Amino acid sequence: MSTATSVSEVERKYEASSDQQLPALSGLPGVDGEPRRDTVQLSALYYDTGELLLLRAGITLRRREGGDDAGWHLKIPAGADERTELQLAPDAEHPETEVPREFTELLTAVTRGAALNPVALISTDRERQRLVDAAGTTLAEVVSDVVIAAVPETGTGSDERVWREIEVELAAGDRNLFDAIDSRLTDAGITRSDAPSKLRRALGDAVTGTPRPARRKKGSAPRTLLLEYLAAQKDSLVAADLGVRRDLEESVHDLRVSARRIRSVLQVYGPSLRDQETVDELIVELRWVGQALSSARDTEVQWSRLVDRLGGAEEIPDREVVRARLDEYFSGLAATARPAALAALNSQRYLDLLAGLDTFLAAVEASGGSGPSKKSVAKSLRALSKSVHRRVRKAAAATTRAERDELTHRARKRAKRMRYAIESTRSLAPKASDRAQTRFKGFQDVLGEYQDAVVARDHILAMVAEDQHSAESSLGLGMLLQRELDRGDALAVEVKPEWKSAKKVARKVWK
């Protein structure tokens, strides 16, 4: 969907006084000769909501003038020292001060629909040193910036701040060069900056109340662990939302998993954190958003699965014809699944869910003493184990495929709930929980593969039932169907022993 250019930015920032000199940067690993030097003047107008929601999420949005990349820049966290930068070139037909629609829609889950307005004007006098290899390829850039930030005040005039900082941005070089530059700077007394961006430093006083992730401590109460877990999963959901809107691989899956994790924890522990009505409302809405994206996820999984299965089935004749039929069918589903997913993410219902999660977490944090005891956590996990056991036993005793499919799916859903319930309170029994999660992965892999085989059969039957397809594709699809039936039968035999093994290990979590 995106017309923006995406680049990966690997960068470190350093503090420097006005009289500190950069050390010599020649002789570094892979660097040829002396750095290539130049100067540039930059000016950037930064945008955010009134509550600085972008900055609080580690995101910056600016419109830059000057340099090699004038235009709109949106920077999204992507790991340690790394951000994804989306760039849009200036558009003569677009108002200079109006945030492009592509970016406002992309940021919906972060801004919750709030307007984006200028929050700071930052000018930079930059001295740049480019470190190149023997072929002239830029390996890294080291820049010395004198920064002037004009920040609006609540009244007349503005608050102007001036400082100097050093930035090191990796280009074609590797992490060894990155670390070598860091050592040179550190030896010269130049230290890493605590501010992740110029804007964060410019608006430091305005974001002193920015919530920071809680850190697990030995002996933490279950309530603290659950609050941290739920907050982290909410942040993961919003991060995955950005990926879905950018059409990144696995992002739909990541969003649904975050929603399922939150829902599972609320189903198990929610009533001890807040009132039942509030918890039930959130569970319903989390289930809705998962279902709203299920078609998009199912399409990408099943398309890839059946293409792979076909590739491994040499006995199927006319595989090119069958492959064409698969592509035709799933491309049609994808054409409707993605717009439906985006419609859900752009809906007021979805924004209300995000707001509801914020309200819920704030209320739990403010409540102080609410939450389950360690004893009640253990009791909940024992009850879940018994529930999974009953469902596995019923699935094993099923007399028809249809009955087995339904009962196995029910066991799978309850097993996921148990897995996330253990995961969310891991610090109560770290070693036992880690071992349980390892065994649960094998158990859930079997259940997940079984469910994929069931869904694949439904898609194959739907393809065969459609008009205007050849006899060759029907034959091949029929043979694929039989392979999925056989695969399901084989997996069904593995479910009970896998559960027995997982249960044996998991039991130590609550003992």
Side-chain angles (χ1 to χ4, degrees):
M1 88 157 194
S2 177
T3 59
T5 300
S6 175
V7 297
S8 178
E9 179 186 77
V10 182
E11 180 183 82
R12 292 175 181 170
K13 290 182 178 291
Y14 298 81
E15 303 278 355
S17 63
S18 58
D19 57 351
Q20 273 184 306
Q21 299 296 313
L22 282 174
L25 297 174
S26 58
L28 290 165
V31 175
D32 183 63
E34 294 294 324
R36 300 182 181 181
R37 303 169 184 266
D38 62 3
T39 60
V40 64
Q41 290 186 322
L42 306 170
S43 177
L45 188 60
Y46 285 77
Y47 289 74
D48 210 327
T49 69
E51 296 181 354
L52 301 178
L53 295 176
L54 297 186
L55 191 57
R56 294 175 190 276
I59 297 171
T60 55
L61 172 63
R62 71 189 180 199
R63 189 182 190 282
R64 171 184 275 179
E65 295 180 359
D68 304 324
D69 56 356
W72 289 93
H73 300 175
L74 177 63
K75 297 189 178 187
I76 303 169
D81 300 327
E82 189 169 354
R83 291 187 290 182
T84 297
E85 181 175 311
L86 303 179
Q87 301 177 354
L88 282 173
D91 185 349
E93 298 181 1
H94 189 278
E96 290 187 357
T97 58
E98 182 180 321
V99 179
R101 181 178 177 181
E102 180 173 340
F103 283 169
T104 59
E105 290 183 351
L106 178 62
L107 294 168
T108 297
V110 182
T111 65
R112 313 295 167 80
L116 291 165
N117 295 306
V119 294
L121 176 62
I122 298 181
S123 301
T124 303
D125 287 334
R126 170 166 290 179
E127 295 181 359
R128 180 171 59 180
Q129 297 187 47
R130 290 191 299 117
L131 310 182
V132 301
D133 62 13
T137 302
T138 299
L139 302 176
E141 289 186 356
V142 180
V143 302
S144 173
D145 289 344
V146 175
V147 185
I148 303 175
V151 181
E153 289 187 323
T154 56
T156 59
S158 65
D159 180 15
E160 187 171 277
R161 306 180 184 188
V162 181
W163 70 89
R164 180 168 175 251
E165 68 180 33
I166 308 300
E167 289 183 3
V168 180
E169 183 172 348
L170 202 60
D174 59 20
R175 289 275 178 171
N176 290 330
L177 174 59
F178 212 24
D179 292 338
I181 296 171
D182 182 87
S183 295
R184 289 273 180 100
L185 296 177
T186 301
D187 291 345
I190 298 173
T191 59
R192 292 285 296 272
S193 174
D194 292 331
S197 66
K198 288 181 172 62
L199 182 62
R200 179 64 177 81
R201 182 160 181 173
L203 298 178
D205 294 342
V207 289
T208 52
T210 302
R212 295 190 179 274
R215 291 185 177 180
R216 294 181 180 178
K217 297 179 180 179
K218 187 176 181 179
S220 294
R223 171 190 163 277
T224 301
L225 301 178
L226 294 173
L227 183 60
E228 175 194 350
Y229 184 84
L230 290 170
Q233 292 307 315
K234 187 208 70 172
D235 290 344
S236 294
L237 189 153
V238 172
D241 174 290
L242 293 173
V244 174
R245 294 173 191 274
R246 293 176 60 205
D247 202 15
L248 299 183
E249 188 176 358
E250 293 297 308
S251 56
V252 172
H253 171 68
D254 292 342
L255 193 154
R256 295 183 74 231
V257 167
S258 293
R260 189 183 300 118
R261 280 178 162 140
I262 298 171
R263 191 175 81 234
S264 295
V265 169
L266 293 180
Q267 287 168 325
V268 179
Y269 305 118
S272 65
L273 297 172
R274 292 291 291 162
D275 62 278
Q276 188 69 57
E277 182 179 358
T278 298
V279 170
D280 287 345
E281 287 177 357
L282 286 174
I283 290 171
V284 168
E285 295 308 290
L286 288 162
R287 182 179 291 113
W288 162 75
V289 77
Q291 292 172 342
L293 273 65
S294 63
S295 180
R297 176 59 179 170
D298 175 60
T299 298
E300 65 183 21
V301 168
Q302 290 298 325
W303 194 348
S304 176
R305 174 191 175 83
L306 288 175
V307 166
D308 287 345
R309 299 282 281 168
L310 177 64
E314 296 182 1
E315 74 278 10
I316 295 179
D318 301 307
R319 285 190 294 170
E320 296 81 1
V321 176
V322 180
R323 171 61 190 269
R325 179 69 185 117
L326 291 174
D327 291 345
E328 177 188 38
Y329 171 80
F330 282 110
S331 61
L333 292 183
T336 57
R338 176 163 173 77
L342 291 177
L345 298 186
N346 288 325
S347 69
Q348 188 60 47
R349 183 175 182 178
Y350 176 64
L351 294 181
D352 289 344
L353 166 60
L354 296 178
L357 289 172
D358 288 340
T359 301
F360 177 87
L361 291 171
V364 173
E365 187 170 19
S367 65
S370 63
S373 64
K374 293 181 181 180
K375 185 177 180 179
S376 65
V377 167
K379 182 179 179 181
S380 296
L381 294 178
R382 279 195 297 270
L384 281 169
S385 178
K386 291 178 181 178
S387 177
V388 175
H389 184 79
R390 286 193 299 269
R391 294 186 179 202
V392 168
R393 188 177 57 192
K394 288 181 179 179
T399 57
T400 66
R401 271 203 184 98
E403 182 185 13
R404 186 183 70 193
D405 293 347
E406 173 60 28
L407 293 173
T408 302
H409 186 47
R410 285 167 54 82
R412 176 174 178 251
K413 291 191 293 184
R414 189 53 52 91
K416 282 185 177 181
R417 186 181 301 182
M418 182 179 175
R419 178 185 177 186
Y420 298 142
I422 293 174
E423 183 179 83
S424 63
T425 55
R426 174 190 173 276
S427 290
L428 297 179
K431 292 182 180 179
S433 295
D434 288 346
R435 286 192 290 266
Q437 294 288 14
T438 299
R439 286 303 308 134
F440 256 87
K441 184 181 186 304
F443 175 49
Q444 289 197 304
D445 284 348
V446 171
L447 293 172
E449 176 68 10
Y450 183 94
Q451 181 63 18
D452 285 344
V454 172
V455 176
R457 283 158 30 198
D458 291 340
H459 281 296
I460 293 170
L461 291 171
M463 279 184 266
V464 173
E466 287 183 350
D467 294 333
Q468 297 180 343
H469 55 83
S470 66
E472 291 87 349
S473 67
S474 294
L475 175 60
L477 289 171
M479 296 177 73
L480 271 181
L481 176 62
Q482 187 59 54
R483 288 173 68 90
E484 295 299 340
L485 290 169
D486 294 342
R487 181 62 176 151
D489 291 343
L491 288 164
V493 177
E494 298 180 31
V495 171
K496 194 171 181 178
E498 284 286 346
W499 164 243
K500 183 178 179 181
S501 176
K503 180 180 68 171
K504 181 179 179 181
V505 176
R507 197 159 34 215
K508 297 178 181 179
V509 174
W510 56 81
K511 281 192 172 181

